[in-house]
Amino acid sequence: MLNPLAAIFKPRRAARLVDELGREGLLPVAAIREAITHWDEVAPRLLEVLEDYVREPQRIEEMPCPILLIAHLFAQQRDARACRPLLALVCLPGDAAEMALGDAVTETLGRVMASVFDGDPEPLERAILDAQVDEYVRAQLFGTLAFLTGEDRIPRPRTRFFLERCYRQLVESGDEGNDMPWVGWLRAVSYLGLAEYADLARAAFRDGRIDDFLTNEREFEAALGDATEAWRRGVAPQEESCGYFGDVIAEFSRWACFTEEGPRERERAERAQSGLLPEWYPWAAQALLADLDSGQDGEAGEDLRGVVDPITPHLNPMRHVGRNDPCPCGSGRKYKKCCLKS
């Protein structure tokens, strides 16, 4: 017999957990664990939030829970209900995907999409082919496609035909500066050990379609050889963007935005944006301090000693530069089309 109180308390628990997942600060470990335990209750509400964002991305500040967490929770649970909404999200115009997913666009998106794949490759292929989709998103989705093909969840003949189609589109588009789809295409070819497309890849390198600081022909040939040998031995190659997503807590415990260092990082970013610190501060502070201590900076450097604080070195020296901000190198290009690629 059904407990009549369940109809009252289950929605309340879902609402409470969504609220706790959305609180600012450190990673909400307890709420994540409880949400996983009561996934059948919480998932429908999280899916509603995700779909609300897809409909009205301008309301991101009103979302009760970060889309970033929602996407990765569905990925951990291998819940395919999030597949279509997430694909719709990454195809939104402008910076909507980046605003919702942040660094996941370049770090985990490929594995997230593999984890929530619903069995239909057509929407995934459409997103890869869409030149209006963020180039980093497209590169990650190539990894999703390659991995799922290696897992026999997408037929290899279909993927081979699709990669030929992608090659033709990339060649014909001639979109200067959008190198990441090329990188994604190369990784898919090498991951799957498709030696029959090696000549197409060599032609792309020869024609200068891929910046050599992203990858080069030697690296491609090595990856292709390693993958071919791996498949011969009956194991999948090792590629960072190819795989299923694992554990939300284990992954995000390493992300600065969910650590005690996060508020300090945000404070530095605000100081930089206000003009109190230059944009390149996190990367240059340690070098400047070293110069000050050695006396190489002179009086001008001494004026900055009160601004620069000797804090633990940063793993990512450019973490405060947005992907669509002007590149700090002074090239005049957007960061994502310049030094981010290196």
Side-chain angles (χ1 to χ4, degrees):
M1 181 177 178
L2 293 176
N3 185 347
L5 295 178
I8 299 174
F9 290 113
K10 285 187 177 182
R12 289 182 181 177
R13 175 156 51 200
R16 173 179 59 79
L17 286 173
V18 169
D19 179 66
E20 291 179 5
L21 289 169
R23 291 177 184 173
E24 293 187 9
L26 301 180
L27 188 66
V29 173
I32 290 172
R33 287 175 175 157
E34 189 175 355
I36 294 299
T37 300
H38 300 283
W39 184 247
D40 289 343
E41 301 172 31
V42 178
R45 176 59 186 134
L46 294 178
L47 193 62
E48 288 178 6
V49 176
L50 178 59
E51 292 170 340
D52 286 345
Y53 179 76
V54 172
R55 284 191 294 269
E56 298 182 275
Q58 71 277 9
R59 296 180 55 210
I60 187 169
E61 297 296 335
E62 302 174 29
M63 295 294 120
C65 176
I67 304 299
L68 176 71
L69 270 181
I70 293 175
H72 288 80
L73 283 168
F74 273 92
Q76 177 175 327
Q77 295 299 98
R78 305 281 181 90
D79 193 326
R81 287 176 289 181
C83 184
R84 299 303 175 95
L86 281 174
L87 281 173
L89 187 158
V90 300
C91 291
L92 289 171
D95 296 332
E98 183 180 357
M99 292 294 293
L101 299 174
D103 286 347
V105 168
T106 54
E107 298 292 328
T108 59
L109 180 60
R111 290 181 283 133
V112 166
M113 293 311 306
S115 298
V116 300
F117 181 61
D118 64 2
D120 184 359
E122 186 174 349
L124 176 64
E125 293 168 348
R126 284 201 305 268
I128 292 173
L129 288 170
D130 189 346
Q132 301 304 311
V133 172
D134 182 278
E135 60 176 313
Y136 288 88
V137 168
R138 295 171 69 194
Q140 287 279 314
L141 296 183
F142 268 114
T144 302
L145 179 81
F147 174 73
L148 293 172
T149 302
E151 291 282 290
D152 294 327
R153 297 184 64 189
I154 299 177
R156 277 183 175 255
R158 178 183 182 123
T159 296
R160 284 199 297 269
F161 176 81
F162 177 73
L163 290 173
E164 288 183 18
R165 181 182 176 188
C166 289
Y167 181 86
R168 292 193 298 270
Q169 176 179 297
L170 289 169
V171 169
E172 292 168 2
S173 67
D175 191 0
E176 183 180 355
N178 283 343
D179 300 300
M180 293 311 297
W182 273 111
V183 173
W185 184 87
L186 288 168
R187 287 177 178 166
V189 169
S190 62
Y191 180 86
L192 292 170
L194 299 178
E196 62 267 35
Y197 295 151
D199 285 341
L200 295 180
R202 295 181 190 116
F205 284 114
R206 184 178 61 249
D207 296 341
R209 300 185 185 280
I210 307 145
D211 285 333
D212 57 8
F213 59 70
L214 290 175
T215 189
N216 55 55
E217 188 173 344
R218 184 180 66 257
E219 292 175 348
F220 167 75
E221 298 281 4
L224 179 62
D226 291 344
T228 301
E229 174 61 20
W231 290 120
R232 187 189 68 78
R233 292 185 285 108
V235 297
Q238 296 298 311
E239 167 57 48
E240 185 177 359
S241 63
C242 297
Y244 291 117
F245 180 77
D247 184 86
V248 172
I249 295 173
E251 176 69 34
F252 287 145
S253 293
R254 300 181 288 108
W255 287 38
C257 60
F258 291 116
T259 66
E260 292 182 357
E261 180 67 7
R264 298 172 68 194
E265 298 288 352
R266 286 192 291 273
E267 181 181 354
R268 291 191 196 104
E270 291 169 0
R271 292 167 71 190
Q273 291 171 0
S274 68
L276 188 58
L277 294 176
E279 288 185 355
W280 40 258
Y281 163 75
W283 145 60
Q286 300 299 321
L288 179 56
L289 284 168
D291 287 345
L292 288 172
D293 292 337
S294 66
Q296 296 178 18
D297 242 64
E299 295 181 2
E302 288 295 334
D303 292 339
L304 291 174
R305 185 178 287 278
V307 176
V308 179
D309 49 353
I311 303 171
T312 304
H314 299 264
L315 294 177
N316 180 359
M318 296 292 208
R319 68 177 66 187
H320 296 315
V321 182
R323 293 168 63 246
N324 290 298
D325 291 344
C327 187
C329 77
S331 67
R333 303 172 72 190
K334 290 185 177 182
Y335 179 48
K336 70 181 181 182
K337 294 185 179 293
C338 192
C339 291
L340 177 58
K341 295 180 177 180
S342 60

